[in-house]
Amino acid sequence: MENTTDTGGINFILLGLFNHTQTHLSLFSMVLMTFLTSLMGNALMIRLIHLDPQLHTPMYFLLSQLSLMDMMLVLTIVPKMAANYLMHTRSISPAGCGTQIVLLLTLGGGECFLLAAMAYDRYVAICHPLRYPILMNQKLCLQLTAGSWILGGVDGLMQAGATLSFPYCHSREINHFFCEAPSLVRLACADTMIFEFFMYVCCILMLLIPLSLILASYSLILAAVLRMQSTAARKKAFATCSSHMAVVGLFYGSSIFIYMRPKSYRSVAHDKVVSAFYTIFTPVLNPLIYSVRNKEVKGAFRKWLEKHFWSSQ
């Protein structure tokens, strides 16, 4: 491995998630099928929300943004991983590595704030239903969405720029299947303590603050639901909120596990598995979670099927 003092010119090596044994080939095929299912499921969710007037509400607009983020997330990770595996190559350019870090942090950070916005939307809908059109108007919905993308983008650009500014003068082998800032920083031949502290602060801001807002919203929602007299209204509120809480649990649980554990508890093997879960498998679960227990989405899907398939038979 050639030594160097900067990131220009020499590629990084991604050690990947799989080797070329029969078992790992089967696992790779499963990941590829999950990737395609995720793309189709999230694209269909966006299409249904766009086509059905009943889904033209703040809740479903935010859900369409979540689906868009999930689509972009799997497109950031899986195609490069699949190409390297199928072509028996492991290299990624510094520019490609930086692009992955920017997009991953933009989408991950954006999703943190978007999930908090979705929790606020449910809080207003359940706790203040008569004032919902005023408190959750179109302008605020667009501002919350734009803010999620912008805050995620700022975090991604800052961390990617700082990560790639370090000298990498020995091994350039990244023991991961995509470029991630913590994995890359481990290879730097410079003092990264200040930057790692900065990353930890960013994690607190991007993960714990939105999570605190989500938990506060759902505490108020739970109190309001328990006071409801109507059993039907209570069931509907629980069905809607349980879907969102499932998505929150999957996303935040894996993100906190990756980014906020002490160094002494970190394992590369565990990090790879959990990273695969939140970058590949969680995006395919989100549309399923929101559609299985959601009558409006199932109704829109049924109408879409009748229009495009059953009517032609």
Side-chain angles (χ1 to χ4, degrees), residues 29-81:
S29 301
M30 184 178 72
V31 166
L32 212 55
M33 288 301 298
T34 302
F35 165 70
L36 295 173
T37 305
S38 177
L39 286 183
M40 290 188 291
N42 284 292
L44 180 60
M45 182 68 77
I46 294 170
R47 183 69 174 161
L48 291 177
I49 291 170
H50 175 72
L51 291 176
D52 197 316
Q54 288 188 334
L55 302 183
H56 292 176
T57 64
M59 171 184 167
Y60 290 108
F61 175 76
L62 294 173
L63 180 55
S64 71
Q65 293 298 301
L66 180 67
S67 290
L68 178 60
M69 287 180 177
D70 283 341
M71 284 181 65
M72 291 179 65
L73 183 62
V74 293
L75 285 169
T76 300
I77 304 300
V78 179
K80 178 61 179 175
M81 181 192 74

Side-chain angles (χ1 to χ4, degrees), residues 5 10 54 131 184 187 191 193 259:
T5 57
I10 300 178
Q54 288 188 334
R131 299 176 63 198
L184 203 58
L187 305 179
D191 184 4
M193 187 174 64
Y259 292 106

